[in-house]
Amino acid sequence: MVYCHVCTYIYVYAYFPISIGPKEFNYRGHNYFYSGHVPAHANQRVDWLDARNICREYCMDLISMETQDENNLIYRLIQQNDVPYIWTSGRLCDFKGCENRRDLEPKAIYGWFWSANRKKMAPTHQVPEGWSFNPWSQTGHKKVRQPDNAEFDINGTNESCMSVLNNVYKDGISWHDVACYHQKPFVCEDSEELLSYVANTNPGLRL
């Protein structure tokens, strides 16, 4: 079996079947893996950007929980394997290019998006459409609803990345904003964008 670290290089002949990356489980046609279950990454704890870059080496990206079913799938993985936390592709649009976007204000409510596919998240103070609950935690370091940007008050660092935490604040498994430099395991899922790029640039390659 050949692993294809595309997006950088492709070490395959077009007529060989390949595995783009670890495929731990599948949901609606997308492959996923939890880093803790892959030998090459089992002991890794990395920051948000490194986690995303690792996923992209496999034509994947960090997980985006856009539906309640997908969210519950990840919650079960966390619960059944006693995972303390994971990185997701959730990101706050607080970087260059987001300054004059009135539709993102206030950013704590309207400024979150899935970086894997650039789709906006539901406002953080609302139950997402099609969901029966709001996945953002009701508490955290400041004992207020997430996202709370708590670390900014501690050391001036914005909590611009989204993690799923497992009962860290006695709040069950739930979403939290976290400073992106923290080191965590991660869950990757297929990236339609990267897979399409590989397919289009390598005719005949079976993905």
Side-chain angles (χ1 to χ4, degrees), residues 48 52 88-95 111-116 119 121 136 158-162 180:
W48 183 84
R52 191 174 186 212
T88 77
S89 78
R91 185 68 166 83
L92 184 66
C93 195
D94 60 351
F95 41 84
W112 287 88
F113 70 104
W114 298 115
S115 61
K119 291 183 180 178
M121 293 186 193
W136 289 95
N158 285 324
E159 295 187 333
S160 301
C161 294
M162 198 202 101
C180 304

Side-chain angles (χ1 to χ4, degrees), residues 32-125:
Y32 298 74
F33 74 85
Y34 163 55
S35 60
H37 290 164
V38 177
H41 307 296
N43 298 315
Q44 280 187 315
R45 299 291 185 273
V46 296
D47 65 31
W48 183 84
L49 184 58
D50 281 348
R52 191 174 186 212
N53 285 338
I54 291 170
C55 291
R56 290 173 70 85
E57 287 179 357
Y58 296 113
C59 285
M60 302 174 97
D61 212 318
L62 286 171
I63 182 77
S64 302
M65 289 96 76
E66 298 178 69
T67 67
Q68 185 170 324
D69 284 346
E70 187 176 18
N71 184 75
N72 291 345
L73 180 74
I74 301 306
Y75 277 24
R76 285 194 296 274
L77 181 149
I78 290 171
Q79 183 179 45
Q80 292 171 2
N81 295 278
D82 197 26
V83 178
Y85 33 62
I86 61 161
W87 281 128
T88 77
S89 78
R91 185 68 166 83
L92 184 66
C93 195
D94 60 351
F95 41 84
K96 186 175 182 180
C98 301
E99 306 92 344
N100 301 316
R101 291 279 302 273
R102 293 185 180 180
D103 61 311
L104 302 180
E105 298 296 339
K107 284 194 171 61
I109 295 176
Y110 298 104
W112 287 88
F113 70 104
W114 298 115
S115 61
N117 54 24
R118 296 176 291 280
K119 291 183 180 178
K120 286 182 68 174
M121 293 186 193
T124 58
H125 65 326

Side-chain angles (χ1 to χ4, degrees), residues 20-36:
I20 289 297
K23 297 178 181 180
E24 183 179 357
F25 55 95
N26 185 285
Y27 173 73
R28 293 190 174 180
H30 265 206
N31 294 300
Y32 298 74
F33 74 85
Y34 163 55
S35 60

Side-chain angles (χ1 to χ4, degrees), residues 135-150:
W136 289 95
S137 178
Q138 299 287 327
T139 189
H141 179 77
K142 298 168 72 172
K143 301 189 186 305
V144 297
R145 172 186 284 280
Q146 299 296 296
D148 63 358
N149 202 29

